Amino acid sequence: MLPVKVIGGGLAGCEAAWQIARRGIPVHLYEMRPLRRSPAHRTGDLGELVCSNSLKSNRVDRAGGLLKAELRLADSLLIRLAEEASIPGGSSLCVDRLEYARLVTESIEKNDGITVFRDEMTSLPPEGPAIIATGPLTSDILAADIEGLLGEGALAFYDAIAPTIESDSIDWEKVFIQDRYGEQGVGSYVNCPLRKGDYLNLVEALRTGATVLPHHFEEENLFEACLPVEVLASRGDRTLAFGPMRPVGLSDPMTGRRPYAVVQLRPENRGKTLFGMVGFQTKLRQSEQERIFRMIPGLERAVFERLGSIHRNTFINAPALLDQFQRASSAPWLSFAGQITGVEGYVESIASGAMSGIYTAWKIFGGTPSPPPVTTMIGALLGRLSFSPRGGFQPVNAQFGLLPPIDGPPLGKAARKEAFAERALEHMRAYLSDVPSC
């Protein structure tokens, strides 16, 4: 039996290799470190975490917790080792990063079915099966080969993230709901109206706010469509008022007139518990974001579930170029896994790697793979990679808003999440009973 090549020894690559090897199929795992260091990693260990040490909540009424519960059902190595390397973190699964990477390295290198090669792959395998799991910092030379296969423009290099605000922290007395040119009180957008003086004060604060300096490996090569809000503010007093803060088609019910400018908030999930600030991607320091954005009427006491950022994040335009099994449409012997597919987050990367491994093994055994049901968090997450929304594809993480509604009478927020989790785990168990185990 020919070995499966897995390129990349991060979370997704190691999980994919484990899922294949545990089914009796040999794996050749390639990792360029320590032969060649990446700009973000500090060691040569496999599975090294380079940002947070948290794999989010363990509670199944949280999207990340449900995702981990489904991965436990799939006998995920990376989740099991995270629990072994865990440190106190409340309800979150937090790990000792060095210990976690050591455990991953030891488990993979001692696995009889996996051979680890410490070598940089500068081109895609010409035949398969092979899985590419090189992550958001894919080397330039390999990224060029991927783009050569998939086509010019196949890869995006920056992820523009705007802040997300908890709906309970919005002062609903100071904002109004209306889509542009729509009926007042009806629509998806929440509008924070600004008078001229408030607007000019906000613009000045944005211009003078302290920003985060780019890492030495980040190029200041941002797309015009995702410029930081402070850069737009620096281009002139009225730039934002004619851009993301334009008030056209809106009428403030408190004055009966069009406001001078607005900050629009858009729901981040179906339950409308989180709202994103439209057009407010930023490189401001976190403390500056909190200070400046709380100048906006209605957001004086805003609780930020996520603050904004712009950073390098190489990912494939998955809806156009990958099939439902994360395979390249133009080269079906090649699968992709992890953040390069457009999933965002540690656990999401592990989930992507697990399924790439399972699909690959299933195919080798002569079966016809099927994806997990969309009622599971894994199925919904990976299914989202096949959907391209207006405005283009952007990385996605686990969230309850991806799941289809629960049948039956309406439920409260807590009961609805419990019902989502119960249904997801039941359906995941049934799905895994059909997956080849050896």
Side-chain angles (χ1 to χ4, degrees):
M1 185 181 293
L2 291 175
V4 177
K5 295 183 177 69
V6 177
I7 317 302
L11 300 178
C14 289
E15 182 66 33
W18 157 256
Q19 292 289 348
I20 296 167
R22 69 183 288 264
R23 290 170 167 82
I25 301 169
V27 177
H28 286 179
L29 175 65
Y30 295 82
E31 169 54 51
M32 70 178 185
R33 294 176 296 115
L35 178 68
R36 179 180 172 185
R37 300 279 186 181
S38 87
H41 292 86
R42 298 176 62 186
T43 77
D45 285 342
L46 304 174
E48 181 186 345
L49 306 185
V50 299
C51 189
S52 168
N53 72 327
S54 173
L55 278 69
K56 300 182 181 177
S57 177
N58 268 323
R59 295 175 49 172
V60 295
D61 61 350
R62 301 290 188 270
L66 178 55
L67 189 61
K68 285 194 289 293
E70 293 177 6
L71 284 166
R72 291 185 186 99
L73 293 177
D75 193 22
S76 165
L77 172 69
L78 275 290
I79 296 300
R80 172 155 47 85
L81 296 180
E83 290 165 345
E84 289 184 30
S86 65
I87 58 177
S91 62
S92 295
L93 176 56
C94 297
V95 302
D96 179 313
R97 289 192 223 189
L98 294 179
E99 175 66 5
Y100 183 50
R102 186 192 68 79
L103 288 173
V104 173
T105 303
E106 182 180 82
S107 297
I108 293 296
E109 289 185 340
K110 288 186 175 180
N111 190 301
D112 292 337
I114 303 173
T115 304
V116 178
F117 295 87
R118 297 290 185 160
D119 192 14
E120 181 182 8
M121 298 293 285
T122 58
S123 61
L124 295 170
E127 56 185 8
I131 297 174
I132 312 303
T134 46
L137 292 175
T138 297
S139 66
D140 291 341
I141 189 168
L142 185 58
D145 202 43
I146 294 171
E147 192 161 25
L149 171 72
L150 299 179
E152 185 177 354
L155 300 178
F157 293 94
Y158 281 89
D159 181 11
I161 300 176
T164 301
I165 297 167
E166 294 183 7
S167 61
D168 291 346
S169 68
I170 299 170
D171 187 343
W172 293 93
E173 297 295 323
K174 295 183 179 180
V175 302
F176 64 94
I177 296 173
Q178 186 185 15
D179 294 345
R180 295 188 192 279
Y181 302 105
E183 183 182 350
Q184 282 189 2
V186 177
S188 299
Y189 286 87
V190 174
N191 301 279
C192 305
L194 287 87
R195 296 172 296 182
K196 183 176 181 180
D198 295 332
Y199 168 79
L200 292 175
N201 288 339
L202 178 66
V203 168
E204 183 61 22
L206 288 169
R207 285 174 179 160
T208 58
T211 58
V212 177
L213 294 176
H215 295 292
H216 66 86
F217 56 85
E218 289 181 319
E219 299 176 0
E220 291 291 353
N221 184 26
L222 302 171
F223 299 117
E224 193 71 18
C226 65
L227 288 174
V229 66
E230 62 272 12
V231 172
L232 293 174
S234 71
R235 292 183 171 181
D237 287 348
R238 298 298 307 279
T239 303
L240 285 171
F242 283 95
M245 295 181 66
R246 64 190 183 280
V248 295
L250 301 169
S251 178
D252 184 352
M254 289 175 277
T255 64
R257 300 189 302 273
R258 186 173 76 179
Y260 187 83
V262 297
V263 174
Q264 287 200 304
L265 310 178
R266 181 171 51 210
E268 289 280 310
N269 54 13
R270 290 177 180 170
K272 297 186 177 180
T273 58
L274 298 173
F275 286 82
M277 298 179 68
V278 178
F280 269 67
Q281 54 270 9
T282 178
K283 290 184 76 71
L284 288 169
R285 294 180 181 174
Q286 293 190 352
S287 59
E288 290 287 78
Q289 291 184 49
E290 293 177 339
R291 176 182 69 84
I292 294 170
F293 296 154
R294 285 178 181 146
M295 296 171 61
I296 298 167
L299 303 185
E300 294 87 350
R301 294 180 176 82
V303 174
F304 294 92
E305 185 267 343
R306 179 186 68 192
L307 289 164
S309 67
I310 297 178
H311 58 275
R312 180 180 172 183
N313 184 9
T314 305
F315 63 95
I316 295 169
N317 182 8
L321 301 168
L322 301 183
D323 67 13
Q324 62 178 331
F325 303 110
Q326 303 177 104
R327 297 177 303 200
S329 301
S330 58
W333 68 88
L334 282 178
S335 298
F336 290 84
Q339 283 189 261
I340 198 169
T341 68
V343 296
E344 183 74 29
Y346 292 149
V347 184
E348 288 84 346
S349 293
I350 294 170
S352 173
M355 294 315 303
S356 278
I358 288 172
Y359 295 149
T360 299
W362 203 334
K363 190 74 173 176
I364 289 171
F365 286 135
T368 302
S370 63
V374 295
T375 49
T376 66
M377 189 60 74
I378 294 176
L381 173 71
L382 300 185
R384 181 64 176 76
L385 301 182
S386 300
F387 172 69
S388 184
R390 288 184 300 172
F393 175 66
Q394 288 290 323
V396 60
N397 54 15
Q399 49 188 291
F400 280 106
L402 298 175
L403 299 174
I406 297 290
D407 293 333
L411 298 171
K413 180 179 178 180
R416 185 169 64 251
K417 289 184 176 180
E418 289 177 4
F420 275 139
E422 183 178 351
R423 180 184 66 180
L425 295 175
E426 177 186 348
H427 289 186
M428 193 65 185
R429 290 188 190 95
Y431 170 77
L432 291 171
S433 67
D434 292 330
V435 171
S437 58
C438 61

